[in-house]
Amino acid sequence: MTSDSTCIFCKIIAGDIPANFVHRDEDVVAITDVNPQAPQHVLVMPVRHIPTFADFVGFEKPELITKVFSVAGQLSRELSANGSRAVINTGPEGGQTVDHLHVHVLAGRQMHWPPG
Ligand code: AMP
Ligand code: ZN
């Protein structure tokens, strides 16, 4: 499946729901989170609908993984020189609420460990 018509992120990528894009290429997009958990909070995701991080296991296009992380790393660098946090919530116990794989990149405040 390359797109899911019921998926909010697929709708954003298709232009059916507005969002603030901070990166867009043929394979990867990044948008600002509508409910930011830090002064800077972006979501980096593949254009292709891949439900969860766990679905990357055995994925036929491993270069897409590299592209998602490359954009996330680039945005981490741009958002703050003082550090950042990248998070991938996976599945119900992982706290995932949108089943379209995305990397949260948060910056602009001191992060704490362990996460909630
Ligand atoms: P997760 O809980 O890890 O699946 O993350 C989903 C994220 O998507 C949350 O941080 C939400 O605030 C964010 N989100 C949900 N709907 C939108 C939207 N329309 N535009 C931007 N971010 C959204
Ligand atoms: Zn999707």
Side-chain angles (χ1 to χ4, degrees):
M1 184 192 309
T2 57
S3 182
D4 178 342
S5 61
T6 67
C7 168
I8 189 167
F9 288 169
C10 282
K11 289 180 184 173
I12 286 173
I13 290 163
D16 296 335
I17 293 176
N20 180 42
F21 285 84
V22 295
H23 176 92
R24 179 157 210 161
D25 66 45
E26 61 180 343
D27 293 318
V28 181
V29 302
I31 61 172
T32 54
D33 196 296
V34 76
N35 183 23
Q37 301 301 310
Q40 314 281 348
H41 186 171
V42 301
L43 305 172
V44 184
M45 65 192 78
V47 167
R48 177 173 168 162
H49 181 84
I50 298 168
T52 79
F53 189 45
D55 294 308
F56 262 157
V57 176
F59 186 58
E60 75 273 21
K61 283 192 172 178
E63 65 273 18
L64 185 57
I65 303 171
T66 306
K67 289 196 76 170
V68 170
F69 276 88
S70 175
V71 172
Q74 184 183 325
L75 287 169
S76 293
R77 178 181 292 208
E78 290 171 10
L79 292 177
S80 174
N82 295 323
S84 62
R85 178 167 292 174
V87 173
I88 305 175
N89 297 325
T90 304
E93 286 196 2
Q96 185 173 9
T97 59
V98 177
D99 285 343
H100 181 130
L101 167 65
H102 50 283
V103 182
H104 296 255
V105 180
L106 304 117
R109 67 169 170 84
Q110 180 63 52
M111 303 297 164
H112 301 285
W113 196 261

